[in-house]
Amino acid sequence: MFVRAYMYFEEGWVGSGVAYHPHMFTFYPDDHVAADGGWPSGLGFLTTYLSVRSELTTPYIIRPFFALQDGRRVNTDYGDPPMDLTKITEYRSVNHCNGCAAGQDCGTSRGCDNWGGGNYYSINYWRITDAEIPKGEWAKCEWYVKMNTVDSVGRPDGILRIWVNDNIVYNSDRMLYRTAQNPKQAIKQVKITPYIGVGSPKDQTMWIDDFVVYDYNVKN
């Protein structure tokens, strides 16, 4: 999946006021869409967040931000998460609640939040700290996600690439998006809803234009 979008953030943009959000574009896999009747929400099978985040103090620099969440795949059969099951079973989350496989790019930070009732929010974050999305002008932002291969197990050979104004700001060939539990899992649906879960800390405006999604890499 290759995604390109032009985004314009006003000069007074401060973001969410927290170290995450807004989710600019949210992608869902086929099994998640089917399970939720076409409008996925909440815990996911592999929810892919193409996001931005702002620093928490002035000048509120905007950074690219990527995250993966697959809370519905968290395996609790072996005990309470977080628990590393990467050498035990393929029926598990690929994110923090069930461990990080050998060779896997597991991001810059991780979370395993207990939502109660045996439900866990399993997420890995990729916080890009050395790239900036400018304010007061149109910025071209691009992402490329390629699923990892699966034989008897999921292999950490998937791809994540992120560009800002044609400069590559993140490049990994060690991503694990799926295991042998669902070897054909694929992205099915996108939700274009810039979302700040805690609510915007002020009135602020941004624009999106020329949003396109391809099922192949058009960048290189």
Side-chain angles (χ1 to χ4, degrees):
M1 173 186 74
F2 181 87
V3 180
R4 176 184 294 132
Y6 288 82
M7 293 189 287
Y8 186 108
F9 296 89
E10 68 174 4
E11 290 286 358
W13 182 269
V14 301
S16 64
V18 293
Y20 52 89
H21 289 173
H23 299 320
M24 305 304 296
F25 314 110
T26 306
F27 288 81
Y28 302 98
D30 40 14
D31 44 9
H32 196 158
V33 173
D36 282 356
W39 190 250
S41 60
L43 296 176
F45 290 98
L46 185 68
T47 304
T48 304
Y49 300 112
L50 309 186
S51 303
V52 301
R53 67 183 184 91
S54 298
E55 302 290 354
L56 301 182
T57 58
T58 185
Y60 301 103
I61 296 172
I62 306 172
R63 310 287 190 188
F65 183 44
F66 181 86
L68 293 173
Q69 179 264 120
D70 62 346
R72 289 194 187 185
R73 294 207 184 279
V74 174
N75 188 326
T76 60
D77 292 346
Y78 299 85
D80 294 332
M83 177 173 284
D84 187 355
L85 302 181
T86 58
K87 296 181 180 179
I88 297 174
T89 179
E90 288 291 282
Y91 287 79
R92 68 176 197 275
S93 165
V94 298
N95 296 306
H96 183 52
C97 282
N98 287 154
C100 183
Q104 177 184 353
D105 181 347
C106 289
T108 57
S109 59
R110 292 153 291 280
C112 182
D113 299 327
N114 189 339
W115 279 19
N119 297 311
Y120 290 83
Y121 191 83
S122 182
I123 191 164
N124 288 356
Y125 301 99
W126 284 259
R127 303 178 187 273
I128 315 301
T129 59
D130 57 354
E132 178 178 348
I133 300 173
K135 302 175 188 176
E137 62 183 81
W138 286 101
K140 181 168 66 172
C141 298
E142 297 165 303
W143 301 262
Y144 178 58
V145 172
K146 183 178 180 180
M147 289 289 181
N148 60 282
T149 61
V150 180
D151 41 47
S152 59
V153 298
R155 303 295 180 185
D157 59 5
I159 295 174
L160 170 62
R161 295 192 178 110
I162 303 173
W163 296 264
V164 176
N165 286 333
D166 293 321
N167 296 310
I168 193 160
V169 300
Y170 198 82
N171 188 4
S172 176
D173 297 321
R174 300 183 295 107
M175 301 293 292
L176 184 66
Y177 297 105
R178 57 189 180 185
T179 68
Q181 180 180 6
N182 189 350
K184 295 184 179 180
Q185 180 171 252
I187 293 170
K188 176 70 173 179
Q189 187 180 95
V190 58
K191 184 164 65 176
I192 308 173
T193 51
Y195 170 71
I196 298 176
V198 295
S200 179
K202 58 170 285 188
D203 290 341
Q204 52 187 339
T205 304
M206 57 85 59
W207 293 262
I208 299 170
D209 199 3
D210 288 346
F211 176 81
V212 293
V213 181
Y214 300 92
D215 62 356
Y216 56 92
N217 186 2
V218 302
K219 192 74 173 179
N220 53 33

